[in-house]
Amino acid sequence: AQSVTQLGSHVSVSEGALVLLRCNYSSSVPPYLFWYVQYPNQGLQLLLKYTSAATLVKGINGFEAEFKKSETSFHLTKPSAHMSDAAEYFCAVSDWTGTASKLTFGTGTRLQVTL
Amino acid sequence: DTGVSQDPRHKITKRGQNVTFRCDPISEHNRLYWYRQTLGQGPEFLTYFQNEAQLEKSRLLSDRFSAERPKGSFSTLEIQRTEQGDSAMYLCASSLDRGSFDEQYFGPGTRLTVT
């Protein structure tokens, strides 16, 4: 079964600094990968998705992620953090069962942005 | 497109009581998923509907849980004889049928607290 591992449960950056959130996946087939963001007491919002069309994926709010097969990674980056980026971020891999596309999520990384 | 909606947003119940949650997917989406998210964890898959048919159920879904999607529109998730371990955020997601690739849109969730 597919799985993802998010390194670092908490990441703190200064406003304006680079954001780097790490995700490594395990998959026996070419994966579909996703990054979601969750604000307090809210559902998940899709940031971006990898579908094998391009290894560098651009998403909403200035985020992007690069798929690296050799490293089995799909790290999320943003050049300059904003206070509004403070949230929980989840990496997920899609597990196609033949009838359903179940998402398997990592344990999440809480991003803190300081002044 | 009003997004996925869930009702109620919060539910506090006493152990042993039954609770029912509702999810209204995006109108043209024929796939519907339920996930459960406990504190500090990523969401975990519970069950999946394609139209009105329940095609997948996780082993996490004990016999106290039942889900329906009559007429392939809204869905309900019922928990009977609630236990404190059922306290979690219950998330609903919907998507269009595109084969193995699935872009799931999440609702705001229902937070259940069992006292």
Side-chain angles (χ1 to χ4, degrees):
Chain A
Q2 276 85 320
S3 65
V4 292
T5 301
Q6 292 185 243
L7 297 176
S9 59
H10 289 84
V11 170
S12 181
V13 300
S14 301
E15 191 174 34
L18 171 72
V19 175
L20 171 61
L21 305 182
R22 299 177 186 275
C23 174
N24 288 88
Y25 70 89
S26 172
S27 176
S28 57
V29 297
Y32 293 130
L33 294 162
F34 304 83
W35 274 100
Y36 283 87
V37 61
Q38 186 176 36
Y39 297 98
N41 297 314
Q42 294 187 26
L44 282 75
Q45 181 182 9
L46 180 65
L47 276 178
L48 50 79
K49 57 187 183 285
Y50 170 73
T51 61
S52 76
T55 56
L56 183 62
V57 181
K58 294 187 183 299
I60 62 171
N61 301 338
F63 285 93
E64 63 182 35
E66 186 173 8
F67 174 76
K68 292 186 177 180
K69 185 177 178 180
S70 60
E71 299 177 6
T72 61
S73 69
F74 190 57
H75 301 331
L76 182 70
T77 60
K78 182 174 181 178
S80 177
H82 295 165
M83 297 296 289
S84 60
D85 295 327
E88 187 96 24
Y89 291 80
F90 292 95
C91 181
V93 62
S94 178
D95 189 359
W96 175 245
T97 67
T99 56
S101 185
K102 297 186 287 187
L103 291 176
T104 299
F105 288 86
T107 52
T109 297
R110 183 167 298 280
L111 176 65
Q112 182 182 19
V113 182
T114 59
L115 289 172
Chain B
D1 180 358
T2 57
V4 179
S5 61
Q6 293 186 245
D7 184 69
R9 295 291 307 277
H10 303 274
K11 179 70 177 178
I12 300 174
T13 191
K14 292 184 178 180
R15 189 178 56 182
Q17 297 295 304
N18 299 343
V19 294
T20 299
F21 311 140
R22 177 179 169 124
C23 170
D24 286 272
I26 294 171
S27 58
E28 65 268 27
H29 286 183
N30 58 342
R31 290 181 170 177
L32 188 146
Y33 297 81
W34 284 98
Y35 291 83
R36 182 172 67 186
Q37 184 180 20
T38 53
L39 203 61
Q41 299 297 316
E44 294 175 292
F45 170 80
L46 289 179
T47 190
Y48 162 70
F49 289 86
Q50 180 152 340
N51 300 310
E52 67 278 6
Q54 188 176 19
L55 298 183
E56 297 265 352
K57 290 200 298 186
S58 164
R59 57 179 173 79
L60 295 175
L61 214 65
S62 76
D63 56 6
R64 296 184 297 105
F65 287 70
S66 63
E68 294 182 339
R69 193 183 182 196
K71 302 178 183 178
S73 55
F74 70 92
S75 176
T76 58
L77 178 68
E78 180 183 16
I79 309 174
Q80 296 182 325
R81 305 181 304 282
T82 53
E83 302 173 355
Q84 286 189 324
D86 297 331
S87 295
M89 174 82 90
Y90 290 84
L91 294 162
C92 175
S94 71
S95 65
L96 277 173
D97 187 346
R98 290 178 178 167
S100 60
F101 174 69
D102 211 25
E103 186 171 319
Q104 296 179 29
Y105 293 85
F106 283 79
T110 294
R111 183 169 294 284
L112 173 66
T113 302
V114 182
T115 62

